[in-house]
PDB file of all heavy atoms in Angstrom:
ATOM      1  N   SER A  34     -17.087  10.759   9.231  1.00 96.00           N
ATOM      2  CA  SER A  34     -16.748  11.995   9.963  1.00 96.00           C
ATOM      3  C   SER A  34     -16.784  13.216   9.047  1.00 96.00           C
ATOM      4  O   SER A  34     -16.711  14.345   9.524  1.00 96.00           O
ATOM      5  CB  SER A  34     -15.344  11.860  10.527  1.00 96.00           C
ATOM      6  OG  SER A  34     -14.426  11.655   9.458  1.00 96.00           O
ATOM      7  N   GLY A  35     -16.864  12.979   7.725  1.00 96.00           N
ATOM      8  CA  GLY A  35     -16.861  14.089   6.779  1.00 96.00           C
ATOM      9  C   GLY A  35     -15.498  14.323   6.138  1.00 96.00           C
ATOM     10  O   GLY A  35     -15.377  15.119   5.212  1.00 96.00           O
ATOM     11  N   THR A  36     -14.475  13.625   6.631  1.00 96.00           N
ATOM     12  CA  THR A  36     -13.129  13.802   6.044  1.00 96.00           C
ATOM     13  C   THR A  36     -13.114  13.258   4.616  1.00 96.00           C
ATOM     14  O   THR A  36     -13.433  12.097   4.379  1.00 96.00           O
ATOM     15  CB  THR A  36     -12.063  13.052   6.878  1.00 96.00           C
ATOM     16  OG1 THR A  36     -12.124  13.543   8.205  1.00 96.00           O
ATOM     17  CG2 THR A  36     -10.675  13.273   6.309  1.00 96.00           C
ATOM     18  N   HIS A  37     -12.750  14.136   3.717  1.00 97.00           N
ATOM     19  CA  HIS A  37     -12.670  13.755   2.307  1.00 97.00           C
ATOM     20  C   HIS A  37     -11.233  13.306   2.038  1.00 97.00           C
ATOM     21  O   HIS A  37     -10.345  14.133   1.892  1.00 97.00           O
ATOM     22  CB  HIS A  37     -13.048  14.982   1.461  1.00 97.00           C
ATOM     23  CG  HIS A  37     -13.181  14.699   0.008  1.00 97.00           C
ATOM     24  ND1 HIS A  37     -13.492  15.668  -0.900  1.00 97.00           N
ATOM     25  CD2 HIS A  37     -13.065  13.552  -0.694  1.00 97.00           C
ATOM     26  CE1 HIS A  37     -13.540  15.131  -2.116  1.00 97.00           C
ATOM     27  NE2 HIS A  37     -13.286  13.861  -2.012  1.00 97.00           N
ATOM     28  N   ALA A  38     -11.011  11.988   2.031  1.00 97.00           N
ATOM     29  CA  ALA A  38      -9.641  11.468   1.993  1.00 97.00           C
ATOM     30  C   ALA A  38      -9.116  11.293   0.569  1.00 97.00           C
ATOM     31  O   ALA A  38      -7.941  11.544   0.303  1.00 97.00           O
ATOM     32  CB  ALA A  38      -9.576  10.150   2.747  1.00 97.00           C
ATOM     33  N   LEU A  39      -9.964  10.829  -0.340  1.00 97.00           N
ATOM     34  CA  LEU A  39      -9.503  10.550  -1.706  1.00 97.00           C
ATOM     35  C   LEU A  39     -10.458  11.151  -2.717  1.00 97.00           C
ATOM     36  O   LEU A  39     -11.674  11.133  -2.521  1.00 97.00           O
ATOM     37  CB  LEU A  39      -9.441   9.030  -1.958  1.00 97.00           C
ATOM     38  CG  LEU A  39      -8.429   8.227  -1.155  1.00 97.00           C
ATOM     39  CD1 LEU A  39      -8.674   6.732  -1.335  1.00 97.00           C
ATOM     40  CD2 LEU A  39      -7.004   8.581  -1.588  1.00 97.00           C
ATOM     41  N   GLU A  40      -9.910  11.673  -3.787  1.00 97.00           N
ATOM     42  CA  GLU A  40     -10.735  12.271  -4.827  1.00 97.00           C
ATOM     43  C   GLU A  40     -10.386  11.689  -6.197  1.00 97.00           C
ATOM     44  O   GLU A  40      -9.310  11.947  -6.744  1.00 97.00           O
ATOM     45  CB  GLU A  40     -10.536  13.803  -4.817  1.00 97.00           C
ATOM     46  CG  GLU A  40     -11.257  14.564  -5.903  1.00 97.00           C
ATOM     47  CD  GLU A  40     -12.770  14.372  -5.923  1.00 97.00           C
ATOM     48  OE1 GLU A  40     -13.357  14.002  -4.883  1.00 97.00           O
ATOM     49  OE2 GLU A  40     -13.358  14.582  -6.997  1.00 97.00           O
ATOM     50  N   ARG A  41     -11.277  10.868  -6.695  1.00 97.00           N
ATOM     51  CA  ARG A  41     -11.157  10.265  -8.025  1.00 97.00           C
ATOM     52  C   ARG A  41      -9.738   9.803  -8.383  1.00 97.00           C
ATOM     53  O   ARG A  41      -9.099  10.334  -9.289  1.00 97.00           O
ATOM     54  CB  ARG A  41     -11.683  11.228  -9.089  1.00 97.00           C
ATOM     55  CG  ARG A  41     -13.201  11.112  -9.219  1.00 97.00           C
ATOM     56  CD  ARG A  41     -13.756  12.080 -10.207  1.00 97.00           C
ATOM     57  NE  ARG A  41     -13.730  13.426  -9.654  1.00 97.00           N
ATOM     58  CZ  ARG A  41     -14.070  14.519 -10.317  1.00 97.00           C
ATOM     59  NH1 ARG A  41     -14.422  14.442 -11.576  1.00 97.00           N
ATOM     60  NH2 ARG A  41     -14.058  15.683  -9.726  1.00 97.00           N
ATOM     61  N   VAL A  42      -9.300   8.814  -7.655  1.00 97.00           N
ATOM     62  CA  VAL A  42      -7.976   8.237  -7.920  1.00 97.00           C
ATOM     63  C   VAL A  42      -8.106   7.151  -8.983  1.00 97.00           C
ATOM     64  O   VAL A  42      -8.909   6.227  -8.834  1.00 97.00           O
ATOM     65  CB  VAL A  42      -7.370   7.647  -6.631  1.00 97.00           C
ATOM     66  CG1 VAL A  42      -6.093   6.871  -6.930  1.00 97.00           C
ATOM     67  CG2 VAL A  42      -7.106   8.760  -5.629  1.00 97.00           C
ATOM     68  N   THR A  43      -7.343   7.305 -10.033  1.00 97.00           N
ATOM     69  CA  THR A  43      -7.345   6.326 -11.125  1.00 97.00           C
ATOM     70  C   THR A  43      -5.914   5.856 -11.340  1.00 97.00           C
ATOM     71  O   THR A  43      -5.003   6.669 -11.418  1.00 97.00           O
ATOM     72  CB  THR A  43      -7.920   6.960 -12.404  1.00 97.00           C
ATOM     73  OG1 THR A  43      -9.318   7.205 -12.180  1.00 97.00           O
ATOM     74  CG2 THR A  43      -7.776   6.035 -13.603  1.00 97.00           C
ATOM     75  N   LEU A  44      -5.751   4.535 -11.387  1.00 96.00           N
ATOM     76  CA  LEU A  44      -4.405   3.967 -11.442  1.00 96.00           C
ATOM     77  C   LEU A  44      -4.486   2.533 -11.935  1.00 96.00           C
ATOM     78  O   LEU A  44      -5.279   1.754 -11.439  1.00 96.00           O
ATOM     79  CB  LEU A  44      -3.869   3.981  -9.997  1.00 96.00           C
ATOM     80  CG  LEU A  44      -2.422   3.726  -9.702  1.00 96.00           C
ATOM     81  CD1 LEU A  44      -1.585   4.818 -10.325  1.00 96.00           C
ATOM     82  CD2 LEU A  44      -2.239   3.732  -8.182  1.00 96.00           C
ATOM     83  N   LYS A  45      -3.672   2.222 -12.940  1.00 96.00           N
ATOM     84  CA  LYS A  45      -3.589   0.841 -13.402  1.00 96.00           C
ATOM     85  C   LYS A  45      -2.227   0.300 -13.012  1.00 96.00           C
ATOM     86  O   LYS A  45      -1.228   0.987 -13.188  1.00 96.00           O
ATOM     87  CB  LYS A  45      -3.664   0.792 -14.935  1.00 96.00           C
ATOM     88  CG  LYS A  45      -5.044   0.668 -15.522  1.00 96.00           C
ATOM     89  CD  LYS A  45      -4.852   0.355 -17.005  1.00 96.00           C
ATOM     90  CE  LYS A  45      -5.968   0.745 -17.894  1.00 96.00           C
ATOM     91  NZ  LYS A  45      -7.238   0.237 -17.797  1.00 96.00           N
ATOM     92  N   VAL A  46      -2.181  -0.933 -12.521  1.00 96.00           N
ATOM     93  CA  VAL A  46      -0.911  -1.530 -12.128  1.00 96.00           C
ATOM     94  C   VAL A  46      -0.707  -2.827 -12.898  1.00 96.00           C
ATOM     95  O   VAL A  46      -1.577  -3.696 -12.912  1.00 96.00           O
ATOM     96  CB  VAL A  46      -0.889  -1.798 -10.599  1.00 96.00           C
ATOM     97  CG1 VAL A  46       0.398  -2.479 -10.187  1.00 96.00           C
ATOM     98  CG2 VAL A  46      -1.071  -0.495  -9.829  1.00 96.00           C
ATOM     99  N   SER A  47       0.437  -2.946 -13.580  1.00 95.00           N
ATOM    100  CA  SER A  47       0.718  -4.147 -14.372  1.00 95.00           C
ATOM    101  C   SER A  47       1.249  -5.257 -13.496  1.00 95.00           C
ATOM    102  O   SER A  47       1.968  -5.007 -12.518  1.00 95.00           O
ATOM    103  CB  SER A  47       1.793  -3.886 -15.424  1.00 95.00           C
ATOM    104  OG  SER A  47       1.543  -2.722 -16.094  1.00 95.00           O
ATOM    105  N   GLU A  48       0.948  -6.464 -13.915  1.00 94.00           N
ATOM    106  CA  GLU A  48       1.412  -7.644 -13.186  1.00 94.00           C
ATOM    107  C   GLU A  48       2.946  -7.654 -13.103  1.00 94.00           C
ATOM    108  O   GLU A  48       3.628  -7.420 -14.100  1.00 94.00           O
ATOM    109  CB  GLU A  48       0.947  -8.896 -13.921  1.00 94.00           C
ATOM    110  CG  GLU A  48       1.313 -10.161 -13.193  1.00 94.00           C
ATOM    111  CD  GLU A  48       0.613 -11.365 -13.786  1.00 94.00           C
ATOM    112  OE1 GLU A  48       0.610 -11.512 -15.027  1.00 94.00           O
ATOM    113  OE2 GLU A  48       0.070 -12.151 -13.004  1.00 94.00           O
ATOM    114  N   GLY A  49       3.449  -7.909 -11.923  1.00 94.00           N
ATOM    115  CA  GLY A  49       4.893  -8.029 -11.731  1.00 94.00           C
ATOM    116  C   GLY A  49       5.616  -6.705 -11.583  1.00 94.00           C
ATOM    117  O   GLY A  49       6.837  -6.685 -11.456  1.00 94.00           O
ATOM    118  N   SER A  50       4.873  -5.589 -11.590  1.00 96.00           N
ATOM    119  CA  SER A  50       5.560  -4.299 -11.517  1.00 96.00           C
ATOM    120  C   SER A  50       5.734  -3.857 -10.064  1.00 96.00           C
ATOM    121  O   SER A  50       5.153  -4.434  -9.147  1.00 96.00           O
ATOM    122  CB  SER A  50       4.801  -3.235 -12.312  1.00 96.00           C
ATOM    123  OG  SER A  50       3.542  -2.995 -11.745  1.00 96.00           O
ATOM    124  N   PHE A  51       6.539  -2.839  -9.876  1.00 97.00           N
ATOM    125  CA  PHE A  51       6.796  -2.302  -8.547  1.00 97.00           C
ATOM    126  C   PHE A  51       6.494  -0.808  -8.591  1.00 97.00           C
ATOM    127  O   PHE A  51       7.194  -0.042  -9.232  1.00 97.00           O
ATOM    128  CB  PHE A  51       8.260  -2.546  -8.161  1.00 97.00           C
ATOM    129  CG  PHE A  51       8.548  -2.409  -6.694  1.00 97.00           C
ATOM    130  CD1 PHE A  51       9.285  -3.388  -6.030  1.00 97.00           C
ATOM    131  CD2 PHE A  51       8.096  -1.320  -5.963  1.00 97.00           C
ATOM    132  CE1 PHE A  51       9.560  -3.277  -4.671  1.00 97.00           C
ATOM    133  CE2 PHE A  51       8.361  -1.203  -4.605  1.00 97.00           C
ATOM    134  CZ  PHE A  51       9.092  -2.181  -3.965  1.00 97.00           C
ATOM    135  N   VAL A  52       5.412  -0.426  -7.929  1.00 98.00           N
ATOM    136  CA  VAL A  52       4.947   0.960  -7.953  1.00 98.00           C
ATOM    137  C   VAL A  52       5.102   1.550  -6.561  1.00 98.00           C
ATOM    138  O   VAL A  52       4.763   0.895  -5.569  1.00 98.00           O
ATOM    139  CB  VAL A  52       3.444   1.008  -8.349  1.00 98.00           C
ATOM    140  CG1 VAL A  52       2.918   2.433  -8.324  1.00 98.00           C
ATOM    141  CG2 VAL A  52       3.236   0.384  -9.730  1.00 98.00           C
ATOM    142  N   ALA A  53       5.624   2.763  -6.487  1.00 98.00           N
ATOM    143  CA  ALA A  53       5.665   3.451  -5.191  1.00 98.00           C
ATOM    144  C   ALA A  53       4.631   4.558  -5.206  1.00 98.00           C
ATOM    145  O   ALA A  53       4.374   5.181  -6.240  1.00 98.00           O
ATOM    146  CB  ALA A  53       7.053   4.026  -4.927  1.00 98.00           C
ATOM    147  N   LEU A  54       4.034   4.766  -4.052  1.00 98.00           N
ATOM    148  CA  LEU A  54       3.015   5.797  -3.890  1.00 98.00           C
ATOM    149  C   LEU A  54       3.564   6.774  -2.855  1.00 98.00           C
ATOM    150  O   LEU A  54       3.819   6.383  -1.721  1.00 98.00           O
ATOM    151  CB  LEU A  54       1.771   5.085  -3.371  1.00 98.00           C
ATOM    152  CG  LEU A  54       0.400   5.694  -3.482  1.00 98.00           C
ATOM    153  CD1 LEU A  54       0.070   5.992  -4.936  1.00 98.00           C
ATOM    154  CD2 LEU A  54      -0.632   4.711  -2.911  1.00 98.00           C
ATOM    155  N   VAL A  55       3.794   8.024  -3.277  1.00 96.00           N
ATOM    156  CA  VAL A  55       4.288   9.018  -2.311  1.00 96.00           C
ATOM    157  C   VAL A  55       3.287  10.147  -2.174  1.00 96.00           C
ATOM    158  O   VAL A  55       2.529  10.447  -3.098  1.00 96.00           O
ATOM    159  CB  VAL A  55       5.658   9.650  -2.697  1.00 96.00           C
ATOM    160  CG1 VAL A  55       6.779   8.657  -2.605  1.00 96.00           C
ATOM    161  CG2 VAL A  55       5.626  10.321  -4.050  1.00 96.00           C
ATOM    162  N   GLY A  56       3.304  10.775  -1.035  1.00 94.00           N
ATOM    163  CA  GLY A  56       2.400  11.900  -0.815  1.00 94.00           C
ATOM    164  C   GLY A  56       2.532  12.328   0.614  1.00 94.00           C
ATOM    165  O   GLY A  56       2.986  11.543   1.454  1.00 94.00           O
ATOM    166  N   PRO A  57       2.131  13.568   0.906  1.00 92.00           N
ATOM    167  CA  PRO A  57       2.248  14.037   2.288  1.00 92.00           C
ATOM    168  C   PRO A  57       1.354  13.231   3.214  1.00 92.00           C
ATOM    169  O   PRO A  57       0.431  12.549   2.767  1.00 92.00           O
ATOM    170  CB  PRO A  57       1.793  15.494   2.210  1.00 92.00           C
ATOM    171  CG  PRO A  57       1.106  15.667   0.913  1.00 92.00           C
ATOM    172  CD  PRO A  57       1.551  14.570   0.008  1.00 92.00           C
ATOM    173  N   SER A  58       1.631  13.318   4.482  1.00 92.00           N
ATOM    174  CA  SER A  58       0.845  12.641   5.484  1.00 92.00           C
ATOM    175  C   SER A  58      -0.607  13.136   5.395  1.00 92.00           C
ATOM    176  O   SER A  58      -0.855  14.321   5.207  1.00 92.00           O
ATOM    177  CB  SER A  58       1.503  12.979   6.822  1.00 92.00           C
ATOM    178  OG  SER A  58       0.761  12.465   7.840  1.00 92.00           O
ATOM    179  N   GLY A  59      -1.550  12.208   5.439  1.00 93.00           N
ATOM    180  CA  GLY A  59      -2.968  12.582   5.348  1.00 93.00           C
ATOM    181  C   GLY A  59      -3.499  12.639   3.933  1.00 93.00           C
ATOM    182  O   GLY A  59      -4.659  13.004   3.704  1.00 93.00           O
ATOM    183  N   SER A  60      -2.671  12.253   2.940  1.00 95.00           N
ATOM    184  CA  SER A  60      -3.131  12.347   1.552  1.00 95.00           C
ATOM    185  C   SER A  60      -3.916  11.105   1.122  1.00 95.00           C
ATOM    186  O   SER A  60      -4.233  10.940  -0.052  1.00 95.00           O
ATOM    187  CB  SER A  60      -1.952  12.613   0.618  1.00 95.00           C
ATOM    188  OG  SER A  60      -0.999  11.581   0.703  1.00 95.00           O
TER     189      SER A  60
END
Side-chain angles (χ1 to χ4, degrees):
S34 60
T36 303
H37 187 181
L39 295 170
E40 176 58 22
R41 276 178 287 175
V42 172
T43 292
L44 192 64
K45 270 191 205 298
V46 177
S47 313
E48 183 169 47
S50 65
F51 197 132
V52 178
L54 200 58
V55 291
S58 175
S60 60

